[in-house]
Amino acid sequence: MPIKISDNLPARRSLESEGVIVMREAEAMRQDIRPLRIGLLNLMPNKIKTETQIARLLGATPLQVELTLVRMTDHVPQNTPAEHMEAFYRPWADIRDERFDGFIITGAPVEKRPFLEVRYWPELSEVFNWTQTHVHRCFMICWAAQAAVHHFHGLPKHLLPEKRFGVFKHRNLAPTSPYLRGFCDEFEVPVSRWTENRHDDIPADSGLRVLAENDDSGLCLLEDPARRMLLMFNHLEYDTETLGEEFARDGGGRLPQNYFPEDNPSLPPENSWRGHAHLLFGNWINDMYQTTPFDINSIGRTEDTESAAPLSAGA
């Protein structure tokens, strides 16, 4: 099934050129089916690139997805044209009364700052609380994952002596988890961060479950079942070139580990994580689809987790 995004969103051209089926708004209105409604609160500096990366993974699943792009209400991004934000993004204050099958929050370029010093932290705290009453399944990525475990569980983040940067092989600690269905015993994940959360800081009574980690790069993937939340501290959604672009942006200093062939920046990197990125997003969407109520307005108002299949008018 296709993904439904705005007809004029720049990501549409990229996705269509890659063979991702993208549905136009008029076509979606004619279909007798309820799509999965997923919101993306995009806090990354290059919003156009990030929305394309996420839409690519959501659009590769066999279910129809309606993607809503969301921004912090009063925060003005510095690296994305105002016209783009005005045309395609809705402020959270405008959607806070709506309900979503899934909600994704990305990383942000503020990880060295204490959480309380982030300008939009008060509103983001409201968003976290709102997900518990208006969202069926949540997916937090990188800094958003760190922020969520701090908000809900008080986990501290620790500043690293140098940027943890490269492609690291992580152990699959929960092969029976629905989120890791089809995953190898070890899988590679791009890592790019200056801070970390530590296994030893997880409270014993938190209910948090570690799904994947690496001895060098640390925690990778956690599940918070009580809050219906998946927490990815790294970047499976990255394109092949993303780490190389960060390397160039940082001035070509420290090489990303295990990324360039023979550690030679003149050689093109190979993508060793794409398949697992599709698996993770596909598994997350499948779990959402199997458990979300048919009536989206009942999300947060009922304990009913009846199977949603099929999400059609005849169901």
Side-chain angles (χ1 to χ4, degrees), residues 253-298:
R254 182 169 171 265
L255 283 169
Q257 294 178 249
N258 313 311
Y259 177 65
F260 292 114
E262 303 174 11
D263 283 339
N264 184 348
S266 66
L267 297 177
E270 295 181 358
N271 191 312
S272 58
W273 61 90
R274 183 185 296 113
H276 285 103
H278 283 278
L279 266 179
L280 184 64
F281 276 76
N283 288 341
W284 179 68
I285 289 175
N286 183 61
D287 177 71
M288 183 195 315
Y289 175 77
Q290 297 296 331
T291 58
T292 195
F294 177 77
D295 180 5
I296 196 170
N297 292 314
S298 68

Side-chain angles (χ1 to χ4, degrees), residues 150-267:
H150 176 76
H151 176 78
F152 288 115
H153 300 284
L155 264 69
K157 64 176 179 177
H158 301 273
L159 186 65
L160 296 165
E162 59 183 1
K163 185 177 183 179
R164 190 158 289 153
F165 192 35
V167 180
F168 294 84
K169 188 173 289 187
H170 292 77
R171 294 187 302 278
N172 179 351
L173 301 180
T176 61
S177 166
Y179 298 119
L180 295 181
R181 186 180 293 112
F183 270 63
C184 297
D185 294 338
E186 292 185 322
F187 57 98
E188 295 186 329
V189 184
V191 177
S192 178
R193 48 185 164 80
W194 287 94
T195 57
E196 69 175 359
N197 293 103
R198 295 175 181 167
H199 200 146
D200 292 344
D201 290 331
I202 299 176
D205 60 352
S206 67
L208 291 170
R209 182 187 185 194
V210 180
L211 303 184
E213 66 180 348
N214 171 281
D215 291 338
D216 295 322
S217 63
L219 293 172
C220 175
L221 189 66
L222 269 64
E223 179 188 7
D224 188 346
R227 291 169 178 79
R228 307 175 308 283
M229 189 173 292
L230 190 62
L231 303 132
M232 163 58 75
F233 294 102
N234 302 319
H235 289 284
L236 267 177
E237 82 281 2
Y238 268 8
D239 293 327
T240 305
E241 302 82 10
T242 305
L243 289 179
E245 293 168 353
E246 291 186 12
F247 171 70
R249 182 197 65 199
D250 293 344
R254 182 169 171 265
L255 283 169
Q257 294 178 249
N258 313 311
Y259 177 65
F260 292 114
E262 303 174 11
D263 283 339
N264 184 348
S266 66
L267 297 177

